[in-house]
Amino acid sequence: MKTDPKRFILDNTSVMAPPHVPEIRLHLASEAHDLWLKTEEELQAIGLPPPFWAFAWAGGQGLARYILDNPETVSGKRVLDFASGSGLVAIATKMAGAQSVHAVDIDPWTTMAVELNSRLNDIEITFSSEDMIGSTILADVLLAGDVFYDERFAERLIPWFESLVKAGITVIVGDPGRSYCPRSRMQPLATYQVPVTRALEDAEVKQTTVWKFS
């Protein structure tokens, strides 16, 4: 890496509570930070992939809210938070009483983001940057916030999620109406109106549904 992740995150974010999950604090970027305005080329110049970890996306906020309001979903269970990003869902899951929480994200910068955010909330979770898609997992529940934004990615995820369900694992996702969300293969658990930033979503509120793969 061309830039030290810890120093960069601390210098380019502020500690904030996502509006739909005020119980949790995260290192997030806002309009006040240059990170918000950097182009993809500028990010590449400093060795930084698109900083998805720096924002509390609507799907993750909705899923984290559902877990906190329905702790029996994860209480006493082994949970894998897939495509963890900032670690928001993983932190909410541990707060809700999960036996263990393992956060997974292939973005190497997410390792430090999740570490800093979990420490900020006095939460202990484990982390891996391994590409888990297609693998068997040692978990009772898999959670995924906002993962159906890309067609090819969705095509990889859907059969994997279905295979996990067949193996007895509960798969729950949060989705704010992304184009490639396989709604016909899931049942809705809850719907929220999640405040978001217009610069990211071209809206101030996103209707976000928490789904369970069936």
Side-chain angles (χ1 to χ4, degrees):
M1 295 182 183
K2 300 178 182 178
T3 306
D4 175 61
K6 181 178 182 179
R7 186 72 267 150
F8 185 88
I9 292 171
L10 294 176
D11 288 346
N12 289 276
T13 63
S14 295
V15 174
M16 294 182 275
H20 208 60
V21 198
E23 303 95 319
I24 295 174
R25 296 182 300 155
L26 301 171
H27 293 276
L28 299 174
S30 74
E31 293 93 332
H33 299 99
D34 289 341
L35 180 60
W36 189 272
L37 304 173
K38 289 186 185 297
T39 65
E40 188 171 345
E41 291 75 18
E42 289 174 318
L43 294 173
Q44 288 177 350
I46 59 175
L48 176 65
F52 296 118
W53 49 264
F55 307 103
W57 299 90
Q61 287 196 61
L63 182 53
R65 180 75 271 150
Y66 179 82
I67 294 301
L68 289 171
D69 291 347
N70 300 273
E72 67 280 0
T73 307
V74 298
S75 181
K77 299 177 182 178
R78 301 167 301 166
V79 180
L80 188 146
D81 176 29
F82 177 77
S84 189
S86 67
L88 169 60
V89 172
I91 293 166
T93 300
K94 191 64 175 176
M95 285 181 169
Q99 175 186 319
S100 63
V101 182
H102 186 59
V104 175
D105 199 301
I106 60 172
D107 180 354
W109 283 72
T110 300
T111 307
M112 182 54 63
V114 171
E115 179 181 329
L116 290 171
N117 289 331
S118 59
R119 190 182 305 161
L120 193 60
N121 293 276
D122 296 320
I123 293 294
E124 290 188 9
I125 57 180
T126 58
F127 181 87
S128 171
S129 57
E130 179 183 355
D131 184 353
M132 301 289 294
I133 299 177
S135 303
T136 57
I137 63 172
L138 296 175
D140 305 301
V141 180
L142 180 143
L143 303 175
D146 213 340
V147 292
F148 296 117
Y149 52 84
D150 177 81
E151 184 175 14
R152 290 185 179 181
F153 193 45
E155 288 174 350
R156 294 184 65 203
L157 288 181
I158 293 168
W160 181 47
F161 285 173
E162 291 180 335
S163 71
L164 294 177
V165 171
K166 289 178 182 177
I169 296 167
T170 300
V171 176
I172 300 176
V173 303
D175 184 83
R178 302 299 184 205
S179 298
Y180 307 107
C181 180
R183 298 168 186 82
S184 63
R185 303 176 190 232
M186 303 183 292
Q187 63 185 76
L189 300 177
T191 299
Y192 303 101
Q193 302 300 319
V194 180
V196 292
T197 302
R198 179 172 290 277
L200 282 180
E201 297 282 11
D202 195 29
E204 294 180 353
V205 175
K206 292 286 284 187
Q207 179 169 298
T208 299
T209 301
V210 176
W211 301 89
K212 179 180 179 181
F213 262 77
S214 54

